[in-house]
Amino acid sequence: MTATDTHRAIEAVWRIESARLIAGLARMVRDVGLAEELAQDALVIALERWPESGVPDNPGAWLMATAKHRAIDRLRRSKRLERKHEELGRELEARREIAVGEFEAAVDDDVGDDLLRLMFTACHPVLSPEARVALTLRLLGGLTTEEIARAFLVPEPTVAQRIVRAKRTLAEARVPFEVPRGAERAARLSSVLDVLYLVFNEGYAATAGDDWTRPALCEDALRLGRILAELAPTEPEVHGLVALMEIQASRLGARIGPSGEPVRLLDQDRARWDQLLIRRGLAALARAETLGGAVGPYALQAAIAACHGRARTPGETDWARIAALYDALAQLTPSPVVELNRAVAVGMALGPAAGLELVDALTSEPSLKGYHLLPSVRGDLLAKLGRFEEARAEFERAAALTRNTRERRLLLERAIGSTR
């Protein structure tokens, strides 16, 4: 194996093992930032040694053992621990011995709980949504700062600052590295799911830039969602989110035309939909429903996606059921965006005039003032009603609001087409 091949292998190993490595270390040192430093130290040593010795049979265990030894050295010589020892006496010494003992057993630990703890820590509400996304992709997705910046079209220093500040905030707030219980667990789980879906959505429909989709982000979110489903198998909303992402991801290949242009849902070639992902999504939705309890927002959205996934042609879509599901979603999590989606479903089920009436009621909503999909939906309904000049104006307004180049081009084309 050449040095180049070895470096590629190390990159692949890091992407696979880094989350487990950092999670195991964070449990022991109780500091996410320090855990990442130790993991990075182990990676540097691997980059130095593996080109000569070759990639070990169990690279993950090698990295953990190396990081473990680095951490033990730090524990034993840490001035901070010495100061705490003076303050806390025998209690701290006992804790230090326990920590060292944990390190020595680390290679054989079941890291499932550690990954779950890391997810809850990276998505802690003390952090801003942007910081949660960046830290999750960094620690759990194994992405570099450059990759995160490129995916979200923000400067690399901005992402680096978010990550540094997030780790500092967690340390200063003394956020415990644990899976919370009771009501706090439910609230924190909601934050974890929201972060994963934010990542997925940015991949599914990029908010800015030249690409209509960024499939790698969808893959990262889906992979983390599947891991979470294994770690929290009794949480219906976890399976609901996985179901939603699986079914949505099944359409990624059909959402882009030959030249990279966006293809709308009703115009997609459904033969290009990934049936395996649809089946996986439907199975995850069934698990969510089997677990019982109140149906959550992700399970409801997954049920909506399932209506599309089951329809072999656009004409077979059960728009009446989709409208009813949006009614339920609006009651559970009322928002103008949900109402806009409900208006689309009503327009498909009962006709464009019914949909337009609902959309017109949203035009004065302050939160939708800069939301490009409001005039886009309105333009579509107006075009169906034959009000082409009004439709053109709406499509042009939508084009002016979107920051995605591909979507802007599509909207301008629709504006021109609506007057023909």
Side-chain angles (χ1 to χ4, degrees):
M1 182 180 287
T2 66
T4 300
D5 291 336
T6 302
H7 278 85
R8 286 176 181 165
I10 293 171
E11 289 176 3
V13 168
W14 177 254
R15 184 62 64 93
I16 295 168
E17 299 289 349
S18 60
R20 298 176 186 275
L21 182 62
I22 294 168
L25 293 166
R27 170 174 55 81
M28 298 170 212
V29 300
R30 305 287 171 176
D31 185 322
V32 170
L34 178 55
E36 189 185 12
E37 282 182 34
L38 293 167
Q40 291 282 356
D41 287 347
L43 176 64
V44 170
I45 295 171
L47 286 167
E48 293 172 350
R49 297 184 184 176
W50 290 4
E52 295 182 3
S53 64
V55 179
D57 293 336
N58 190 336
W62 190 99
L63 289 169
M64 176 60 87
T66 302
K68 174 193 71 173
H69 292 309
R70 300 279 292 187
I72 290 174
D73 289 342
R74 285 200 186 202
L75 274 173
R76 285 174 174 160
R77 68 172 185 264
S78 170
K79 293 181 180 179
R80 182 170 54 185
L81 280 181
E82 289 174 3
R83 287 196 299 271
K84 287 184 178 179
H85 176 74
E86 293 173 1
E87 297 168 4
L88 302 177
R90 287 191 300 273
E91 178 186 350
L92 178 64
E93 180 62 24
R95 287 174 58 192
R96 188 183 71 81
E97 292 301 325
I98 290 171
V100 172
E102 285 182 334
F103 274 113
E104 300 198 344
V107 174
D108 299 320
D109 275 347
D110 177 2
V111 298
D113 288 343
D114 290 338
L115 278 173
L116 194 57
R117 292 186 190 103
L118 185 58
M119 282 191 180
F120 276 98
T121 302
C123 299
H124 196 283
V126 74
L127 303 175
S128 69
E130 295 83 4
R132 293 178 215 169
V133 168
L135 196 59
T136 297
L137 288 175
R138 173 75 169 181
L139 300 182
L140 288 154
L143 274 66
T144 65
T145 304
E146 180 185 2
E147 288 172 327
I148 299 169
R150 188 166 62 245
F152 285 87
L153 299 179
V154 295
E156 188 174 344
T158 300
V159 172
Q161 288 173 4
R162 285 177 186 170
I163 293 171
V164 169
R165 288 172 182 165
K167 289 186 286 191
R168 185 188 306 135
T169 298
L170 292 174
E172 291 175 350
R174 297 184 179 181
V175 172
F177 189 72
E178 64 182 12
V179 177
R181 298 178 181 276
E184 186 183 357
R185 176 188 173 99
R188 293 270 294 280
L189 180 62
S190 175
S191 176
V192 173
L193 298 179
D194 288 348
V195 167
L196 293 183
Y197 198 44
L198 274 172
V199 174
F200 181 87
N201 262 345
E202 183 58 31
Y204 188 76
T207 55
D210 296 328
D211 296 318
W212 174 234
T213 63
R214 299 193 180 101
L217 277 179
C218 292
E219 292 167 7
D220 280 319
L222 192 47
R223 176 171 57 84
L224 292 174
R226 289 167 180 164
I227 291 172
L228 183 58
E230 292 176 2
L231 301 177
T234 61
E235 297 286 353
E237 270 293 80
V238 173
H239 296 291
L241 175 59
V242 171
L244 175 58
M245 292 192 297
E246 297 273 16
I247 297 172
Q248 297 280 67
S250 74
R251 303 200 291 262
L252 277 171
R255 296 191 79 234
I256 301 175
S259 302
E261 71 277 10
V263 181
R264 294 184 299 156
L265 177 62
L266 297 182
D267 297 328
Q268 289 172 16
D269 177 2
R270 301 195 176 204
R272 297 183 63 195
W273 288 6
D274 190 323
Q275 294 302 314
L276 174 60
L277 289 179
I278 291 175
R279 289 195 296 271
R280 292 183 65 146
L282 294 177
L285 179 58
R287 283 195 294 274
E289 294 170 346
T290 299
L291 286 169
V295 179
Y298 287 115
L300 280 172
Q301 291 177 78
I304 291 168
C307 290
H308 294 295
R310 292 188 180 105
R312 292 173 297 177
T313 65
E316 294 180 17
T317 306
D318 190 346
W319 286 105
R321 173 165 170 72
I322 291 175
L325 288 167
Y326 271 121
D327 282 339
L329 186 62
Q331 293 178 19
L332 185 63
T333 56
S335 83
V337 173
V338 171
E339 290 296 337
L340 181 61
N341 287 325
R342 186 172 76 90
V344 173
V346 168
M348 295 298 295
L350 302 179
L356 184 62
E357 183 179 353
L358 296 176
V359 172
D360 284 346
L362 297 171
T363 54
S364 60
E365 173 59 46
S367 64
L368 295 181
K369 184 177 180 180
Y371 190 53
H372 71 283
L373 291 181
L374 176 61
S376 175
V377 168
R378 194 165 187 274
D380 184 65
L381 293 168
L382 287 167
K384 289 177 179 177
L385 290 169
R387 295 161 61 177
F388 299 118
E389 284 299 324
E390 293 173 84
R392 179 185 59 77
E394 291 296 292
F395 286 133
E396 289 176 346
R397 189 159 72 89
L401 289 172
T402 185
R403 293 186 295 133
N404 185 281
T405 305
R406 297 282 185 179
E407 189 170 26
R408 182 181 302 113
R409 192 174 301 156
L410 173 67
L411 288 165
L412 290 175
E413 287 172 358
R414 297 196 71 194
I416 295 171
S418 66
T419 57
R420 290 174 181 170

